[in-house]
């Protein structure tokens, strides 16, 4: 099974003397797989979709808490491997992928909108010498900002890749069952 680009994000940050261009991709493992069928009952589908969104946002602890509170509720049987378990898992993984893509997009937008320190006016060559320490400090600050943003994006990419790998492995296991 191959990986197919789901979303591509590009951003470019230009500062006098420094140009940063970054590209990353969020992959979809669902391109070659048959998607699980949603429940026919609109109430159950709504419960699954909303819970999947909450679990994607709040983590597995939220799912665990819901399992404890709803253990005797037949509408939540999907949490315990019931009829719509595969659809629920697919929805959680889809919500996580969407959230990761949105976070990456926000980081890219933040990088492009970051307020940069004011630059010196046009260079006048008649007797003016640039203040080397001040220019050097500005360059160092910009390099630190760029490095921080690159680290954030790299962490988010790694998290996305980890989540997508787990999703893929989970779906492969379910197909083998």
């Amino acid at each position: 099974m191959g990986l197919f680009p789901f979303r591509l994000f590009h951003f470019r940050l230009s500062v006098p003397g420094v140009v940063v261009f970054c590209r990353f991709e969020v992959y979809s493992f669902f391109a070659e797989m048959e998607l699980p069928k949603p429940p026919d009952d609109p109430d159950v589908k709504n419960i699954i979709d909303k819970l999947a969104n909450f679990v994607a946002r709040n983590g597995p602890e939220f799912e665990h808490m819901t399992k404890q509170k709803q253990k005797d509720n037949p509408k939540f049987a999907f949490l315990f491997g019931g009829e719509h378990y595969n659809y629920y898992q697919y929805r959680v993984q889809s919500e996580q992928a969407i959230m990761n893509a949105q976070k990456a997009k926000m980081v890219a937008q933040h990088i492009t909108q970051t307020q940069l320190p004011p630059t010196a006016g046009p260079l006048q060559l008649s007797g003016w010498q640039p203040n080397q320490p001040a220019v050097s400090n500005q360059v160092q600050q910009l390099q630190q900002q760029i490095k921080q943003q690159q680290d954030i994006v790299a962490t988010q990419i790694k998290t996305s890749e980890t989540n997508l790998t787990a999703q893929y492995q989970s779906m492969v296991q379910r197909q083998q069952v």
Side-chain angles (χ1 to χ4, degrees):
M1 179 176 304
L3 301 177
F4 295 90
F6 180 71
R7 286 251 175 111
L8 299 176
F9 294 95
H10 302 268
F11 61 90
R12 179 184 175 121
L13 175 64
S14 296
V15 179
V18 180
V19 176
V20 175
F21 180 78
C22 186
R23 174 183 180 209
F24 55 95
E25 300 174 1
V26 177
Y27 289 96
S28 172
F29 292 102
F30 306 117
E32 291 182 356
M33 299 180 73
E34 186 176 322
L35 300 178
K37 183 179 180 261
D40 293 328
D41 181 348
D43 290 335
V44 173
K45 182 183 182 308
N46 189 37
I47 289 170
I48 291 173
D49 291 345
K50 284 184 179 179
L51 181 61
N53 182 280
F54 287 131
V55 169
R57 283 190 288 144
N58 301 311
E61 300 83 18
F62 189 84
E63 180 181 316
H64 181 71
M65 179 187 69
T66 304
K67 279 181 174 180
Q68 289 177 339
K69 288 183 177 181
Q70 301 296 336
K71 63 184 172 193
D72 297 324
N73 187 340
K75 288 193 175 191
F76 286 83
F78 63 88
L79 285 174
F80 305 95
E83 180 180 1
H84 301 293
Y85 176 78
N86 288 341
Y87 177 74
Y88 168 69
Q89 289 296 312
Y90 161 74
R91 290 294 297 143
V92 170
Q93 294 164 359
S94 296
E95 290 291 333
Q96 288 171 336
I98 289 167
M99 287 177 44
N100 287 334
Q102 289 171 342
K103 286 178 187 176
K105 185 176 181 181
M106 287 174 41
V107 167
Q109 287 173 346
H110 176 73
I111 289 173
T112 59
Q113 296 171 356
T114 299
Q115 294 294 326
L116 301 174
T119 57
L123 183 62
Q124 299 173 2
L125 298 176
S126 58
W128 181 81
Q129 293 296 320
N131 182 350
Q132 290 298 329
V135 171
S136 178
N137 285 341
Q138 282 184 344
V139 169
Q140 287 177 348
Q141 288 174 351
L142 290 173
Q143 288 173 335
Q144 287 174 348
Q145 288 176 358
I146 291 167
K147 176 71 173 125
Q148 288 172 346
Q149 295 299 331
Q150 287 174 330
D151 290 345
I152 290 169
V153 171
T155 300
Q156 289 178 336
I157 290 170
K158 185 172 180 147
T159 301
S160 292
E161 289 173 345
T162 302
N163 288 340
L164 289 170
T165 300
Q167 292 171 13
Y168 172 73
Q169 291 171 349
S170 173
M171 296 192 98
V172 167
Q173 288 174 350
R174 277 188 232 114
Q175 281 186 338
Q176 292 173 352
V177 172

